[in-house]
């Protein structure tokens, strides 16, 4: 039953994307066309917007696995999603930074993919469509990582591993 629901979601998403592409053109009000990865990021932002509420992440069972990391923030991992599979709408980690009152503010998501053999990780996972995403292999913990700055703009780019806007 759950599998059928997921298939239906994918089908509906595909139909929606087809309609979006069919209804748009370069001539429409000189609006620039979104690339496939930009559409995917927008979908992911919508699916993860619930995590702006820090309590949602904690209630889901996400745990701080890093403490505060300069230029990144706190990494809240959902261990149930650590399955070695890249799923656009299911990032393993949500990044938070405390505001001036100490309240946690969502700044980004991170995909964390552990390869079958961390000593020989091979190529980065297939992520977003195209080659804009920048995967990094963290040898210290043996995983591929991809940050996506969905809430806090990053002057170094949406897929940059560090965000200079976040302090040390």
């Amino acid at each position: 039953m759950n599998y059928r629901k997921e298939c239906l979601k994918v089908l509906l998403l595909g139909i929606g994307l087809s309609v979006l592409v069919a209804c748009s053109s370069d001539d429409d009000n000189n609006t620039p066309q979104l690339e496939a990865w930009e559409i995917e990021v927008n979908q992911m932002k919508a699916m993860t917007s619930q995590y702006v509420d820090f309590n949602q992440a904690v209630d889901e069972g996400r745990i701080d696995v890093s403490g505060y990391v300069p230029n990144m923030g706190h990494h809240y991992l959902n261990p149930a999603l650590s399955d070695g599979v890249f799923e656009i709408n299911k990032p393993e980690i949500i990044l938070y930074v405390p505001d001036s009152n100490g309240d946690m503010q969502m700044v980004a998501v991170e995909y964390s993919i552990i390869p079958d053999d961390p000593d020989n990780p091979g190529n980065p996972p297939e992520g977003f469509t195209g080659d804009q995403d920048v995967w990094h292999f963290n040898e210290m913990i043996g995983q591929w990582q991809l940050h996506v700055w969905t809430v806090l703009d990053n002057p170094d780019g949406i897929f940059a591993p560090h965000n200079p806007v976040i302090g040390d």
Side-chain angles (χ1 to χ4, degrees):
M1 181 73 169
N2 194 16
Y3 174 76
R4 290 175 62 186
K5 285 183 181 178
E6 288 299 315
C7 288
L8 181 58
K9 285 181 187 177
V10 170
L11 177 64
L12 291 174
L13 179 62
I15 292 169
L17 287 175
S18 298
V19 170
L20 177 66
V21 170
C23 293
S24 63
S25 76
D26 290 331
D27 299 330
D28 294 343
N29 301 322
N30 294 323
T31 304
Q33 295 294 307
L34 292 178
E35 293 186 37
W37 70 268
E38 293 171 305
I39 294 169
E40 293 167 349
V41 166
N42 287 338
Q43 292 168 352
M44 181 267 297
K45 284 180 179 182
M47 295 295 290
T48 59
S49 64
Q50 66 196 18
Y51 299 114
V52 170
D53 178 358
F54 177 68
N55 292 321
Q56 176 69 31
V58 173
D59 291 346
E60 184 180 89
R62 290 183 180 270
I63 54 174
D64 187 354
V65 293
S66 68
Y68 184 81
V69 176
N71 303 117
M72 288 186 189
H74 293 266
H75 294 69
Y76 277 80
L77 169 72
N78 180 339
L81 296 178
S82 294
D83 57 6
V85 178
F86 173 81
E87 296 175 86
I88 287 176
N89 295 326
K90 296 180 182 178
E92 290 79 7
I93 297 170
I94 308 293
L95 280 77
Y96 291 93
V97 173
D99 66 14
S100 60
N101 295 322
D103 296 326
M104 292 297 218
Q105 303 297 313
M106 180 183 174
V107 294
V109 302
E110 179 180 339
Y111 297 94
S112 169
I113 307 298
I114 300 170
D116 291 334
D117 181 2
D119 292 328
N120 185 18
N123 294 325
E126 290 294 323
F128 292 87
T129 300
D131 59 1
Q132 296 296 315
D133 53 352
V134 181
W135 288 85
H136 165 74
F137 189 75
N138 184 324
E139 293 177 6
M140 193 165 61
I141 54 180
Q143 67 184 13
W144 286 103
Q145 299 173 331
L146 174 64
H147 292 80
V148 188
W149 299 94
T150 57
V151 179
L152 181 65
D153 286 336
N154 186 339
D156 292 341
I158 191 169
F159 295 117
H162 299 94
N163 191 330
V165 174
I166 298 173
D168 292 335

